[in-house]
Structure formats: C-alpha cells, structure tokens
Amino acid sequence: MSKNDTLHLAQEFLRRMGSGVEPAEIAKLFSENMEWEIAGDTGVLPWIGQKSGRTAVTDFVNDSRAMIERVGFDVHEIFASEKRAVILGSLASKLKRNGKIVETDFAIILTIGNGEIVRFQMLEDSFAVSQWARG
C-alpha cells in the first residue's frame, strides 16, 4: 500500500468510529486475524488488554457505546507510512454509571497489511483511565 492508502484507511477508521455506524461496518476495515492491544488494567474495562480477531473490534464498539459517553475526541495529527498509521489526539469520556469524566492524550497505531488493519494498538494514560473506571 502507498502512504496515501494507509492515511485514507486511518481516516476511514476514524470516520466510521465517529459516525455511529454498526460495529460490523467498522470491523470490515480489519483483518479477520487482527491483533488488538490497549495496555492497562485488564480487570477494569472489557476492551483493555490483548485480544485477536474482528470480534475484538465489535466488542470494543458495543461495550464502549454501552459504558461511556464521548465528551470530546480531537485528532491532532495523523502520520502514515506504507505499513503504519499513527493517530495522535486527546479524548474525554464520561462513564455512564457515575458521570465521572476522564481526559487523556492518546496514540493509536494501526499496522496495515494487504489493505486491512492487522494490528490496533492504543497508548493512553492507563493509570488515569484505570482510576476513572474504578470510580
């Protein structure tokens, strides 16, 4: 893939995530055997940890929509190469069960293979997110 193709795939991922489309439509951007990793306290939120397969994506979308309300999501920059896109930004989320808000900067690293996302990695302030989710 070209750098522009990788950039377009990252932008399409963000567009689908922000538009409220069905989780299966978001998951179509990912390889069936994709790797998922969000470092942090694996006992707190169901999408934290290492997972594999498209179900990791659909589970994340379903679970996060059920548990949190997006207060803010700002993309600052997207860097792309032939095999990787890095999305830098900041987010604010409200936990629906108690109304608490967490704010954190993030980096999402998408690894691309055969025109699909084969690896999703998100880096954020996992300590703050863990404290927030524990209420």
Side-chain angles (χ1 to χ4, degrees), residues 66-129:
M67 296 176 72
I68 64 174
E69 177 185 330
R70 182 188 302 181
V71 176
F73 187 90
D74 296 308
V75 173
H76 304 302
E77 293 190 67
I78 303 174
F79 300 97
S81 69
E82 290 77 16
K83 295 182 179 181
R84 204 166 273 116
V86 178
I87 304 164
L88 301 176
S90 57
L91 62 83
S93 300
K94 183 190 318 184
L95 199 57
K96 289 182 178 179
R97 69 178 157 81
N98 64 12
K100 291 180 85 174
I101 294 175
V102 68
E103 296 179 14
T104 183
D105 292 330
F106 68 84
I108 296 173
I109 304 162
L110 303 175
T111 304
I112 311 301
N114 298 319
E116 299 176 307
I117 301 167
V118 297
R119 184 165 191 265
F120 175 97
Q121 181 182 19
M122 183 170 174
L123 306 170
E124 62 186 351
D125 184 346
S126 59
F127 181 76
V129 171

Side-chain angles (χ1 to χ4, degrees), residues 19-86:
S19 68
V21 300
E22 290 298 315
E25 285 302 306
I26 298 166
K28 286 180 183 178
L29 298 172
F30 292 80
S31 163
E32 288 194 33
N33 301 313
M34 65 84 66
E35 297 175 28
W36 175 275
E37 180 184 353
I38 300 178
D41 188 349
T42 57
V44 179
L45 295 168
W47 55 83
I48 303 293
Q50 295 182 339
K51 302 171 185 338
S52 61
R54 281 185 181 155
T55 57
V57 178
T58 56
D59 288 349
F60 166 70
V61 174
N62 286 325
D63 291 341
S64 63
R65 286 179 180 173
M67 296 176 72
I68 64 174
E69 177 185 330
R70 182 188 302 181
V71 176
F73 187 90
D74 296 308
V75 173
H76 304 302
E77 293 190 67
I78 303 174
F79 300 97
S81 69
E82 290 77 16
K83 295 182 179 181
R84 204 166 273 116
V86 178

